[in-house]
Structures are given as structure tokens and as C-alpha cells.
Amino acid sequence: MKKLILLLLILTLTCIVAAGCGAKDKLEEKAAEKLAEEMLEQSGAEDVDIDGDKVTIKGEDGEEVTFGGSEWPKSDLAKSIPEFSKGKFASIMETSNYLMISFEEVKEADAVAYIEKNKPDFTLDNYESKSEGMISWSGKTDKDLQLSLTLADASFSIMLFLDESE
């Protein structure tokens, strides 16, 4: 139940930030940040930082979740795969062991080229599927890094996960 409340609060926070992205006024940003902190306090969030179109939430366990942004992340996890520079950023979500980046307006040829570029580094547990309007590929490294790439029409998603459970 606590996770459901956290998810709903994060969604509400994202809507607040999206509504205020055009206004760069520091007072509105601080007010939204304070409201978000109060909303998330009950769900175990320790701190909320709003920086333009990026929101970082730090949980009581020290884990951070970042939403938003419009450029390739600079984390070590993001550096473990090549940067994709085609299309338009739609959304970004990142933690220390999970990265999801969604793009819009991606051409099939660009997505296929990116998939091919990643195949040599993710040779384990490969899966590939193609159907009308959709291409999906996933693979894993020997270092428990899993990559999933999906093109559906002109939307392209990159999901990278580091499984540290072993």
C-alpha cells in the first residue's frame, strides 16, 4: 500500500512540475518543492529537489529517484551504453540501478542501428521480436547488466537494469 501511495504521489509531483516547467520563477519552484516534500513525507521520502524539468526524490533508505530532464543522463549506469541521439526526449527515470529513457519521433532505421550497436556488449539471454510497427530486443552482460530496447511506431524506449542481488 505504501508503494502505491508513493507512486501516486510521484505522479502528482510530476504533474505539478510539468505544469510549472514554463515558469522559471524561483518562488513558484520553491513552493512546488515544499508542497512535494510535504506530500511525500508520509511515504518515506526524505528530500525533494526540483531543478528546472528534473525532480530528484531521496528516500529514507538513501536511494534517489530522478524524473525528467531532456538530455542523456551522466550517471555511471547511463555511461555503460552508447548515447542515443536520434528522436526527441519524452521521459527519463533513473535510480542507482535502473534507467529508463523514452524517445518520440524515432525512425525505425535509427532504432535498428542502435540495437545492432549494443548487441556485441549484451550477448547473454538475448531475445528479439519483430512485428508490424514494433521491434523489441533485450540482452544481458556477464556483469548482470540487462538492456531492453523497444520501438513501437515512432516511440523508442531504452531500459537498463543492474541486478545487484547476487
Side-chain angles (χ1 to χ4, degrees):
M1 182 64 171
K2 201 172 193 180
K3 288 186 179 195
L4 178 61
I5 292 172
L6 178 60
L7 184 59
L8 291 173
L9 291 174
I10 289 170
L11 181 59
T12 303
L13 175 63
T14 303
C15 291
I16 290 170
V17 171
C21 281
K24 296 294 181 185
D25 185 66
K26 284 288 184 188
L27 184 59
E28 288 179 5
E29 184 176 306
K30 290 295 180 189
E33 190 170 334
K34 183 68 177 164
L35 175 63
E37 285 176 353
E38 289 174 8
M39 289 173 60
L40 292 169
E41 187 177 277
Q42 293 180 359
S43 65
E46 291 281 315
D47 188 33
V48 177
D49 181 33
I50 301 172
D51 183 15
D53 61 351
K54 282 177 97 171
V55 177
T56 301
I57 302 168
K58 185 175 183 180
E60 57 190 18
D61 59 357
E63 182 69 28
E64 289 186 1
V65 179
T66 302
F67 299 92
S70 57
E71 27 180 79
W72 193 263
K74 295 177 181 13
S75 66
D76 288 339
L77 188 59
K79 290 177 185 174
S80 65
I81 58 174
E83 185 173 332
F84 184 76
S85 59
K86 309 291 183 175
K88 177 181 163 187
F89 277 98
S91 67
I92 302 171
M93 187 185 91
E94 184 174 26
T95 68
S96 61
N97 63 348
Y98 180 78
L99 173 65
M100 185 191 81
I101 306 174
S102 297
F103 293 88
E104 298 172 337
E105 302 172 14
V106 175
K107 295 178 182 171
E108 183 175 331
D110 294 330
V112 170
Y114 189 74
I115 290 169
E116 292 302 320
K117 189 176 197 176
N118 281 283
K119 281 183 177 181
D121 296 325
F122 292 84
T123 58
L124 304 175
D125 298 336
N126 288 131
Y127 171 80
E128 190 164 0
S129 173
K130 292 181 183 181
S131 63
E132 188 174 328
M134 186 171 167
I135 299 170
S136 181
W137 174 86
S138 65
K140 185 177 175 181
T141 67
D142 60 351
K143 296 181 174 101
D144 292 324
L145 195 58
Q146 300 173 31
L147 177 63
S148 177
L149 306 171
T150 303
L151 176 71
D153 296 317
S155 297
F156 186 56
S157 65
I158 299 170
M159 290 182 278
L160 186 62
F161 175 70
L162 177 61
D163 185 3
E164 299 175 312
S165 62
E166 294 179 20

